[in-house]
C-alpha cells in the first residue's frame, strides 16, 4: 500500500503549490486573465508608434511560468476572448478588435503556454534558464504582434519592426532580467525547487 508521502508529486510550476484541483485551476485561470488585464492599465504611450509600453508582457510571462502550459494558455485565451467580447481590460481600458496591437494579445496565448511548458520542464528554476524561457516567450509575442501590425497599418516588415519591436527591446530585456531574479527566488522560498 502506497503512503501519502510516496504518492505526493513534486510541483511542476508554482501554481501547483496551492491546494485543490478544479476550483484552484479555475481561480488561477481567471486570476491570470485579470492579472494581465490589470497590468495592461500600466501603459505609457511612446511617440511615433501605436504600441505603448505596458505591464502586460511581464504579467503574461509570469503567469506562464507560475501556471504551466494549460492553465496559462487558457488564462490568456480568456483574457483575449473576454476583451474581444467587450470586457474593458485591454490597454487603457479598451476592448474589441479594432486596434493595431491586437496581434500581441493573440500572441499572449501562445507565449504563456510556451513559457508554461518550459517552466514545467524546469525553465524557471535558475536565473540562466529563466532568461532563456522569458526570451522565448517574448519572441513569440513579437512573432504574433509584428505581422498583425503590418496588416493593420499597411506597412512593410522593416517599418513594423521599427514601430513594434525596436523601441521595446531595452524594456523587455529589463523584464526578462527581473523575471530571472524573481522566479528562481520564489522557488527557493517555497523550498520546492528541483533541478
Amino acid at each position: 500500500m502506497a503512503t501519502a508521502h510516496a504518492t505526493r508529486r513534486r510541483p511542476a510550476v508554482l501554481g501547483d503549490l496551492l491546494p485543490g484541483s478544479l476550483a484552484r485551476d479555475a481561480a488561477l485561470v481567471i486570476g491570470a486573465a485579470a492579472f494581465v488585464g490589470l497590468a495592461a492599465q500600466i501603459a505609457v504611450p511612446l511617440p511615433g508608434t501605436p504600441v505603448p509600453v505596458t505591464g502586460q508582457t511581464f504579467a503574461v510571462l509570469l503567469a506562464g511560468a507560475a501556471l504551466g502550459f494549460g492553465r496559462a494558455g487558457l488564462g490568456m485565451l480568456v483574457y483575449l476572448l473576454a476583451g474581444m467580447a467587450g470586457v474593458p481590460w485591454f490597454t487603457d481600458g479598451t476592448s474589441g478588435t479594432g486596434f493595431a496591437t491586437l496581434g500581441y494579445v493573440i500572441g499572449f496565448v501562445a507565449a504563456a503556454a510556451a513559457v508554461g511548458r518550459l517552466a514545467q520542464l524546469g525553465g524557471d528554476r535558475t536565473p540562466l534558464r529563466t532568461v532563456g524561457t522569458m526570451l522565448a516567450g517574448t519572441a513569440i509575442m513579437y512573432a504574433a504582434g509584428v505581422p498583425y501590425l503590418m496588416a493593420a497599418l499597411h506597412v512593410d516588415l522593416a517599418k513594423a519592426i521599427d514601430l513594434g519591436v525596436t523601441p521595446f527591446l531595452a524594456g523587455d530585456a529589463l523584464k526578462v532580467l527581473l523575471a530571472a531574479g524573481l522566479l528562481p527566488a520564489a522557488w527557493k522560498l517555497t523550498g520546492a525547487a528541483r533541478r
Side-chain angles (χ1 to χ4, degrees), residues 33 75-90 94-96:
M76 294 311 100
L77 187 60
V78 167
Y79 175 68
L80 170 66
L81 295 178
M84 290 172 69
V87 174
W89 60 7
F90 292 156
T94 60
S95 62

Side-chain angles (χ1 to χ4, degrees), residues 107-135:
F108 292 171
V109 179
V115 167
R117 181 63 185 139
L118 291 170
Q120 287 172 317
L121 297 172
D124 64 341
R125 301 311 196 278
T126 68
L128 187 57
R129 285 190 279 181
T130 303
V131 165
T133 297
M134 298 300 131
L135 286 175

Side-chain angles (χ1 to χ4, degrees), residues 53 57-58 142 165-178:
V53 174
T57 54
F58 188 60
Y142 283 142
V165 176
T166 306
F168 306 97
L169 292 174
D172 285 341
L174 182 61
K175 292 172 190 177
V176 166
L177 292 175
L178 187 57

